[in-house]
Amino acid sequence: MIDIRFPDGRTKAYEAGVTPEMIAGDISSGLKKKTVAAFVDGALYDRNRPIEQSATIELITQDQEEAFEVLNHSTAHLMAQAVRRIYGDALFGVGPPIEEGFYYDIATEATIRQEDLPAIEAMMRQIVQEKIEMYREELTREEALKRFEGDAYKTELILELPEDEPISIYTQGEFVDLCRGGHIGNTGHIKHFKLLSVAGAYWRGKSENTMLQRIYGTSWFSREALENHLAVLEDRKARDHRKLGKELKIFELNQEAGQGLALWLPNGYTIRKVLEDYVYNLERRAGYKHVSTPVLGTKKLYEISGHFAHYQENMFPLMSRDGEEFVLRPMSCPHHMIIYKSELRSYRDLPLRLAEIVIMHRYEASGALSGLERVRAMTLTDSHIFVRKDQIKEEALAAYKLILQAISDLGLKIDYVELALRDNEKGKFHDNDQLWDEAEAMLKALLVEENIEHREVKGEAAFYGPKIDIQVRTAMNHVITMSTVQLDFLLPERFDLTYIGQDGEKHRPVVIHRGLISTWERLMSILLEQYKGAFPTWLAPVQVKVLPVNIDSHRAYADALNERFLDEDFRSELDARPEKLGYRIREAQTLKIPYQIVIGDQEVADQTVTYRRYGEKAQTTVPLEDFVALMHQVIRDKS
RNA sequence: GCCGCUUUAGCUCCAACAGGUAGAGCAAUUCCAUGGUAAGGAAAAGGUUGCUGGUUCGAGUCCAGUAAGCGGCACCA
């Protein structure tokens, strides 16, 4: 007999070999149904894995996060078994649970297409019907290698596991897989799943390796949960900025104009201009000085900065004319370094905060391009803050806070903060350990002191220094870098930047690179998806649309209203086309215009305005002056 | 860049389902309709079916190449 201790501290004796499933069943049949797996002395145990020694147990039930992982992990195995039944030669890479489901990487001669997924799903259902038990076994490395002889993928994985630890494998019917485990015990417990897509994926995520076929799927504990998730996926499609950008005439991508080279249409440019003005004013009040520099620079400038050595792959090819070589700049730092050097700087001049709306070009891999989210010509609200060492913390923090403000004003939310550090990969980062250590320590200290929750990621730093990246999650559930604060001891060296200190000697400043709210392109994609195209009034390309009921008899007042609104700096339009009122209303709604105003006899007689807020059915009639005040209020509040 | 898929009018199209030389809705144009919160009616117009080549008497339809787009991977603001 062994003693099983429960989370509440009570213990109970069971026969050795008892399983979490049996223990749950012993407590109640409801709990047995809901139990997916268990933590046994903190280790993840399958639902049906025998417990051989006294231990503390914590059952994992369906409502827990780990349960979703266990279910999806098991569903990945279920799918693999089905794939093996259909494609006899199939070998498998890795098949983990992921945030919204699972995938499994497959190597097979056959090409698996989207239209093959239903057949695989059907086979999965059959295996579910067969209620196959999933057995865990622990082998030595030699035994495991023997078991997976001829399977290059699993062999490679086994060879990388620690030598002295037992290797677990799972057998479900005729199918055997190498796996750390945490399984639901029987294929019969898997019910509500769907295969979603096939894609290519490099073996072990390395681009020099062969490419496997990856099937993505998702698995849930109830039909409602599955359907709910599928509805979320549908909603994401409706939010896709590429679709909305076309419908609302925000931007255009065109094969002739060039891959990844976005054209901003009038509506898009209007929003962009509002954002530019917003950022300009925000920065101005925060003590930034704005500058403007060219998109072209000499090759030499980028050799000095180190970009040419470290960043060339991401740059458009060199141009040369009359023996001089130029690059299309991928960043603006070198130009700002030159501006710093344009005069002798004193310690009193620091911090010097240079800001610019920078057009830059990066040669992104063709497969990386995606709407406005990844482009090759982009405009960044960029800044370089030149500081003394003793000002680093204060200025980096101020930059961080400015970022928080901008993100909040735009109605966005930070998903997480990342501290990106270097790793040992040669050539990727500049070579001065002392500078690196110092810079990394400073950023770390800042985050810790300010209590900013963050994740450390090695190898993600810029070549010139570590950075704090602010990550947001798009409505498409992509995590992307929105803002960044980067510490740079290197460029000041390379450009030999100095300032005259209080002591009359030359000193080296430090540069803080700061990206405020990504690029206009990426920001636009995020905003479109966030608001589903229904922009808050301060951003909307058209804020008010004035519709006279009768395009003759109500025209004069409608005209006067429109003129008044334009005088108030509202982006107003009059729609007096010879179309039915219903038609004009429909169009205004389709274009998601925040305030739609209909003018008829009543309004003309009373000098009032009847408006309808986008997304609402209600019509409100107010005196003209009240409406003007309301609009000013709404715009000021950025709502 | 890599794997897979897709590409028909300005837009949206499982229109052309055994290869016989292209069809709809919306938008745009003209005419008629004076309309109170999501599409009034009519007419006429619009395409060398992404591009290049091949097979065929004949190609939107089959084949090859190429470009772009899409889903991912790798890369990244």
Side-chain angles (χ1 to χ4, degrees), chain A residues 8 54 81 181 545:
Chain A
D8 63 5
S54 295
Q81 186 175 16
K545 189 85 142 185

Side-chain angles (χ1 to χ4, degrees), chain A residues 84 88-93 107-108 141-159 176 203:
Chain A
R84 175 64 66 63
D89 68 331
L91 293 178
F92 298 93
T108 164
R141 174 186 270 215
E142 285 64 38
E143 291 168 331
L145 285 173
K146 198 150 200 186
R147 199 66 86 86
F148 288 99
E149 211 172 346
D151 184 335
Y153 302 103
K154 296 296 175 186
T155 299
E156 188 176 327
L157 293 175
I158 291 167
L159 287 174
V176 181
W203 165 236

